[in-house]
Amino acid sequence: MTDDRHVAEQSIAEALRSLGSSELGLTSAQAGHRLQEYGPNRLAEIAQEARWRRLLREFTHFFAIILWIAAGLALFAETRSPGQGMWQLGIAILAVILVNGLFAYWQEHRAGRAIDALRELLPQQVKVMRDGQMLTLASAQLVPGDVILLEAGDNVPADCRLLTAQDLRVDASTLTGESLPQARSAAADPEHDLVLERRNLLLAGTALVSGEGRAVVFATGMQTEFGQIARLTQTASKSESHLQEEIRRLSRLVALLASGLGLVFFGVGLALELPFWASLMFAIGIIVANVPEGLMPTVTLSLAMATQRMARRHALIRHLPAVETLGATTVICTDKTGTITQNRMTVRQFYLDGRVQDAASASSGPGERQLLRNAALCHSLKVGQREGQAVWQGDPMELALAEFGRRALDCSDLKLLGMIAFDADRRRMSVTVELDGQRWLFCKGAPEVVLPLCDCLEHEGQVGPLAESDRLAFEQAQQAMADRGLRVLAFACKRLDPDAPPAEQGLTLSGLIGLHDPPRPGVAEAIGRCQAAGIRVIMVTGDHPHTAVAIAREIGLVRSDHPRVILGESLRGMAAAQLQTLLESPELLFARVSAEQKALVVNALKHKGEIVAVTGDGVNDAPALKSAHIGIAMGLSGTDVAKSAADMILLDDHFASIVNAIEEGRAVFENLRKFLTYILTSNIPELVPYLVYVLLGVPLPLTIIQMLAVDLGTDLLPALALGAERPDAAVMQRPPRPAAERLLSWGVLARAYLWLGPMQAVISLFVFFLVLQQGRWQWGAALGAHEPLYLQATTACLAAIVAAQVVNVFVCRHPSAPAWSFSLRSNRLLWLGVGVEIALLLLIVYSPPGQWLFSTAGFDPALWWLIGALAVLVGLAEEGRKWLFKRWRPRQQAGGSRD
């Protein structure tokens, strides 16, 4: 009869038999056959979209197709009507497509390091029993049925079932999020259903912190729990960021508008009996005038600059749109271990002589001596080398206890004689030592296990009987310390007779010690800033619920007496509607949560319309990091898997750096609107000349190539400077903007297209006609494309637009605050941008290459004074609008406007 139970539920003999193995392992022939059947013990990479396809996609989206059509028409028009500058236009548009596509591809390109990082966590070599002999083989050659040998410090190469275990404890935090090492034994475990909780299993990707053992492999490669997380990491789709949605919407809207206007005015040109090629050039000009060719490079470069600012604040951005997504974040789902806390155990309190005391008050007095000796000696730590120095290595909890005991008491005169190793069933360990020529037994373990072994109590250095009232006092102290989030251990000892065995009975109870994984400094303040900014923080951890609540209370995340705590087991059978309802609880924590369950919480929050950021550092966090709008990994303590799956990496592992990054992210959205207003403004003075050209029958005031000089030349650096504005002082005092709020709002459109743009169009056309009038041009008279008067007039029109944009960059620094309210030194890039803008204009107007490429010519220098005065007049008109706006809406906050 086939035994279909899991190997964890079977006895050792049954497990070996079900895997077709033995204590001596497999033969070489068996291993070779199974290697062909099961494949190498490595993580298979799921096929991803080819890089050439991803690159091609950046040149075939809707926005790019419009530009391709415009370039094709321009080059075709050059063949039909040479000498009209259409080839320069076509080449310039093709250059725009190339720059935009390469920028987008670089921005979206992710180095496929997640799988490599997972592989690096697995050991390269492992000790294996083959043909009855111990061999050292590459971990990739492991197969189900292999018997392997492991010891402290080894990483587990595959999922295996223990055959023998001596003082074996494993760090499974990369899979479970549990901060404390977990004991493992070889006994059958039919009690636990979850693989992660079974005490006789060692899972791939975990590590032994103490002890040694022998185990039989039952799963390799992608069939391991580790492999399932790898599969989730590979297949989890990355959600499109809010900025990506907005840019896609904006690009489509602008492209449709430009194409529609181009077709309409092509028809208008034909209706006015313009030549076909003139009408076509007119239509292309309309399209080029309305498509902000510099938008995508400017957005990309602006985001790249924001990432540099964030890096200086210890936040490394791996995915550019994540910069803006941070600013829209409404919920942060944060892990506890290593993110909120330091993942470093420390002794916080001890209970002795009837009272709970702080660890700092410990001394070597008679009443505390035995407790400190016990803490210093009762461990399984080993001496290792680090930077040439001898150091203790092993379980972080035992390291903390040993440090606590030895800090207050010199134990160099004590000699270790033997050890009764920790066992998962006994939940305690003991050591025997020689002290002053006598043997002593020191025992530590769970209070509920150690207390029944005691019949005496040490109180103020004196030993007496342990009364029931004393037991009750210890139990109450244990509960009080546990409620503070401490892991509590009991300590006992006894003097052994010369020939007596070291029996763990008849002990003298010394006291209790509470250990704590402390929060990182500054986390409480960071939580407070998040709350002030309207950002909800939810702890999602694999740790114990009492520990999670205590830590949450310590950092100010929980303030009420009864927060809602949801266990991972509850999530498994919970309907989507139930989870959505639970997420509305004001104070909510998730504990004992697995990787899949953490991703369930993230997806449920997304379905509620939240913008979700998730923090994490372990392998178990990778699927949720990819599923969230933005994943945040720890740079110092985080695994490579988490870093590869994240959008942002905290270089200092400090939760407070998230808040700084959110502040920068909020500023990015405001800055995007600033330079969007700036670059859209120049579309109107570029469009109106074509309307005048067709409707009034005058020479074209601005050529297409001169439009591109503005969009891709003079406007680019000032727009970037607006994207580099510092965050407003009050930006973290406002709630997150609504998810439905658009980047291109009606306020932005009205300000650019109905106010600033028309004013620029008026002054540029005024200057154009002024130059023509001074040249004695007669209305209706034709001008050749290369006549000096026409070149001077179009150049003056171009100069007026650029001069107006020089002033515009200052008034666009804020939609409602006056330009003079900002320090002129607060944004040095602004002055650089203006300087480059003016220098480019002068090169275009006066240098021979500029005149040849852009069809320009120098004009009367006195005209510069008029152009400058008209540009300043436009700026004063905008400042007047701001003054009226603030007067009519006095409650409008200067820092809170989102026009």
Side-chain angles (χ1 to χ4, degrees):
M1 183 175 179
T2 303
D3 188 351
D4 58 358
R5 293 176 299 163
H6 193 280
V7 292
E9 302 174 33
Q10 299 172 338
S11 67
I12 293 174
E14 290 169 338
L16 287 169
R17 187 165 52 250
S18 67
L19 291 167
S21 186
S22 69
E23 293 274 3
L24 298 178
L26 302 173
T27 66
S28 297
Q30 287 176 314
H33 176 73
R34 295 187 185 192
L35 187 61
Q36 291 183 344
E37 180 180 356
Y38 295 103
N41 178 38
R42 65 168 63 103
L43 300 178
E45 189 167 356
I46 295 177
Q48 303 289 337
E49 184 182 21
R51 291 187 179 182
W52 68 268
R53 288 183 178 273
R54 297 204 303 269
L55 179 61
L56 181 62
R57 190 172 61 245
E58 301 301 340
F59 294 97
T60 55
H61 57 74
F62 190 78
F63 189 72
I65 289 173
I66 297 298
L67 293 178
W68 279 115
I69 294 173
L73 290 174
L75 295 175
F76 182 71
E78 177 67 21
T79 65
R80 296 294 180 177
S81 181
Q84 300 298 317
M86 300 303 284
W87 74 270
Q88 295 102 320
L89 172 63
I91 296 299
I93 295 177
L94 290 176
V96 170
I97 298 171
L98 180 64
V99 170
N100 284 349
L102 291 178
F103 264 121
Y105 176 74
W106 182 259
Q107 155 183 329
E108 292 299 325
H109 175 63
R110 294 287 195 89
R113 297 189 306 155
I115 301 305
D116 294 335
L118 282 167
R119 290 195 185 105
E120 289 170 4
L121 283 181
L122 297 178
Q124 301 300 311
Q125 302 289 326
V126 62
K127 297 175 182 177
V128 188
M129 297 298 297
R130 289 277 175 89
D131 299 316
Q133 302 293 321
M134 188 189 76
L135 304 176
T136 300
L137 300 176
S139 62
Q141 297 183 38
L142 285 181
V143 295
D146 265 328
V147 174
I148 61 175
L149 287 73
L150 298 167
E151 59 184 15
D154 288 345
N155 286 342
V156 181
D159 287 357
C160 43
R161 196 260 195 232
L162 281 166
L163 304 177
T164 63
Q166 181 178 354
D167 189 28
L168 197 152
R169 278 180 285 180
V170 62
D171 178 3
S173 61
T174 55
L175 288 176
T176 66
E178 171 64 62
S179 60
L180 299 175
Q182 301 168 6
R184 291 291 184 262
S185 68
D189 185 6
E191 299 178 3
H192 297 93
D193 294 328
L194 294 178
V195 171
L196 296 175
E197 294 180 355
R198 284 176 161 161
R199 296 179 179 177
N200 58 4
L201 299 185
L202 299 178
L203 301 179
T206 61
L208 271 66
V209 296
S210 66
E212 58 186 26
R214 182 178 296 210
V216 59
V217 174
F218 66 86
T220 58
M222 296 300 287
Q223 301 306 313
T224 64
E225 292 295 313
F226 203 67
Q228 295 304 312
I229 289 181
R231 192 180 303 278
L232 286 171
T233 303
Q234 292 169 332
T235 57
S237 59
K238 187 65 191 178
S239 56
E240 189 177 48
S241 74
H242 181 258
L243 179 61
Q244 289 171 314
E245 294 175 358
E246 282 297 289
I247 294 298
R248 178 170 51 80
R249 171 183 171 272
L250 175 61
S251 300
R252 185 163 297 183
L253 178 64
V254 170
L256 285 173
L257 175 65
S259 303
L261 287 175
L263 290 174
V264 168
F265 282 98
F266 177 71
V268 170
L270 294 178
L272 294 175
E273 299 182 349
L274 287 176
F276 176 84
W277 296 111
S279 298
L280 179 60
M281 187 181 72
F282 174 48
I284 294 175
I286 293 294
I287 292 173
V288 173
N290 281 277
V291 173
E293 293 85 1
L295 174 63
M296 292 305 297
T298 305
V299 168
T300 304
L301 289 172
S302 178
L303 291 177
M305 292 168 59
T307 66
Q308 294 176 356
R309 295 197 304 272
M310 288 184 176
R312 289 193 290 269
R313 304 182 78 175
H314 309 294
L316 177 65
I317 299 296
R318 296 186 65 250
H319 189 211
L320 285 182
V323 176
E324 184 273 337
T325 306
L326 271 168
T329 298
T330 59
V331 177
I332 299 175
C333 292
T334 176
D335 188 30
K336 180 188 74 68
T337 305
T339 307
I340 294 294
T341 67
Q342 301 178 29
N343 197 18
R344 189 178 64 205
M345 299 294 290
T346 57
V347 175
R348 176 64 63 87
Q349 294 179 332
F350 63 97
Y351 178 74
L352 188 70
D353 298 335
R355 63 184 186 277
V356 176
Q357 305 175 51
D358 290 335
S361 65
S363 65
S364 58
E368 302 174 15
R369 187 168 298 165
Q370 293 293 64
L371 179 63
L372 293 174
R373 283 173 176 164
N374 203 333
L377 295 170
C378 193
H379 60 73
S380 58
L381 300 174
K382 296 181 179 180
V383 177
Q385 292 291 322
R386 183 183 303 162
E387 298 180 356
Q389 300 292 324
V391 294
W392 289 107
Q393 294 179 342
D395 186 344
M397 181 195 70
E398 291 193 334
L399 288 170
L401 289 171
E403 179 187 357
F404 171 67
R406 293 172 184 271
R407 184 178 60 199
L409 187 67
D410 181 11
C411 299
S412 59
D413 59 332
L414 302 181
K415 180 181 179 182
L416 181 64
L417 301 176
M419 177 188 301
I420 304 175
F422 178 87
D423 183 88
D425 295 325
R426 298 184 327 108
R427 299 175 63 194
R428 65 181 183 273
M429 73 167 292
S430 298
V431 296
T432 55
V433 300
E434 183 179 326
L435 175 62
D436 297 331
Q438 295 182 320
R439 290 192 310 145
W440 283 79
L441 181 142
F442 291 102
C443 176
K444 75 176 180 189
E448 57 270 28
V449 172
V450 174
L451 259 66
L453 304 176
C454 300
D455 53 22
C456 293
L457 171 67
E458 182 178 8
H459 183 78
E460 296 182 354
Q462 302 297 319
V463 177
L466 180 64
E468 284 301 316
S469 58
D470 296 323
R471 293 183 186 273
L472 180 60
F474 267 81
E475 291 171 358
Q476 291 174 342
Q478 175 198 357
Q479 186 62 44
M481 295 167 74
D483 287 342
R484 300 187 188 102
L486 304 183
R487 184 183 183 187
V488 184
L489 296 177
F491 294 79
C493 64
K494 78 171 183 179
R495 184 165 48 191
L496 298 173
D497 292 333
D499 298 324
E504 295 172 321
Q505 58 186 11
L507 305 180
T508 298
L509 185 59
S510 299
L512 304 175
I513 293 180
L515 297 105
H516 182 49
D517 183 9
R520 294 183 179 277
V523 167
E525 179 185 357
I527 294 292
R529 292 187 66 193
C530 285
Q531 293 169 343
I535 301 168
R536 189 181 182 194
V537 181
I538 300 176
M539 185 184 291
V540 184
T541 178
D543 221 332
H544 192 280
H546 286 304
T547 305
V549 171
I551 292 294
R553 201 178 301 282
E554 186 173 352
I555 62 176
L557 187 58
V558 165
R559 301 182 186 277
S560 66
D561 294 333
H562 303 288
R564 192 70 178 267
V565 181
I566 308 299
L567 297 180
E569 295 177 359
S570 304
L571 288 175
R572 187 177 294 110
M574 192 176 293
Q578 291 177 291
L579 181 55
Q580 300 261 15
T581 303
L582 280 175
L583 289 172
E584 297 175 2
S585 304
E587 291 186 341
L588 182 63
L589 304 174
F590 291 90
R592 296 296 192 200
V593 174
S594 67
E596 295 89 343
Q597 292 159 357
K598 189 171 187 178
L600 282 176
V601 174
V602 171
N603 290 327
L605 286 165
K606 289 168 64 177
H607 290 153
K608 287 178 67 67
E610 305 284 0
I611 305 297
V612 186
V614 173
T615 68
D617 59 356
V619 176
N620 61 312
D621 295 316
L625 289 172
K626 286 198 77 172
S627 298
H629 291 99
I630 176 168
I632 306 171
M634 303 297 110
L636 297 178
S637 62
T639 62
D640 287 344
V641 181
K643 296 174 188 176
S644 297
D647 300 288
M648 185 178 88
I649 299 172
L650 298 183
L651 300 178
D652 59 354
D653 281 15
H654 207 305
F655 186 86
S657 297
I658 299 175
V659 185
N660 296 333
I662 288 175
E663 182 180 33
E664 290 286 354
R666 289 190 173 188
V668 163
F669 189 83
E670 302 295 335
N671 291 345
L672 286 175
R673 278 191 167 170
K674 294 173 185 177
F675 80 65
L676 194 58
T677 303
Y678 176 79
I679 63 176
L680 290 180
T681 295
S682 61
N683 282 2
I684 298 301
E686 293 171 356
L687 172 64
V688 171
Y690 279 84
L691 301 180
V692 172
Y693 164 67
V694 172
L695 299 178
L696 301 182
V698 299
L700 181 62
L702 192 71
T703 66
I704 298 176
I705 198 69
Q706 288 170 349
M707 289 182 195
L708 293 178
V710 175
D711 292 344
L712 295 174
T714 58
D715 270 3
L716 193 59
L717 198 55
L720 280 176
L722 288 175
E725 288 282 271
R726 295 179 180 177
D728 179 26
V731 72
M732 291 302 288
Q733 301 300 317
R734 300 193 293 264
R737 67 175 182 276
E741 187 171 343
R742 298 298 187 186
L743 181 63
L744 184 62
S745 65
W746 287 111
V748 171
L749 285 173
R751 190 174 171 215
Y753 282 170
L754 301 180
W755 177 243
L756 292 170
M759 286 193 294
Q760 289 190 9
V762 169
I763 68 167
S764 60
L765 288 177
F766 174 78
V767 172
F768 173 76
F769 286 114
L770 179 63
V771 173
L772 291 182
Q773 189 270 333
Q774 290 176 344
R776 303 185 183 280
W777 173 77
Q778 299 295 320
W779 193 273
L783 285 175
H786 301 289
E787 289 190 32
L789 180 60
Y790 177 69
L791 295 178
Q792 291 175 351
T794 58
T795 302
C797 181
L798 171 64
I801 295 173
V802 174
Q805 284 291 81
V806 168
V807 175
N808 192 30
V809 74
F810 290 98
V811 299
C812 282
R813 296 186 74 181
H814 202 280
S816 58
W820 51 81
S821 65
F822 296 91
S823 170
L824 296 179
R825 293 180 295 178
S826 63
N827 189 347
R828 295 181 179 180
L829 185 58
L830 196 67
W831 289 105
L832 176 62
V834 169
V836 171
E837 186 173 23
I838 294 173
L840 284 175
L841 177 60
L842 294 176
L843 287 173
I844 290 171
V845 173
Y846 293 112
S847 72
Q851 292 176 344
W852 172 80
L853 181 60
F854 296 101
S855 300
T856 59
F859 50 78
D860 183 0
L863 191 59
W864 284 108
W865 293 102
L866 177 62
I867 289 174
L870 291 174
V872 171
L873 186 62
V874 170
L876 291 175
E878 166 62 2
E879 292 301 327
R881 180 203 66 82
K882 292 180 183 179
W883 180 79
L884 290 174
F885 180 80
K886 292 184 68 174
R887 185 176 181 181
W888 289 341
R889 298 179 62 182
R891 287 181 291 181
Q892 177 75 31
Q893 295 182 358
S897 176
R898 291 201 179 110
D899 296 2

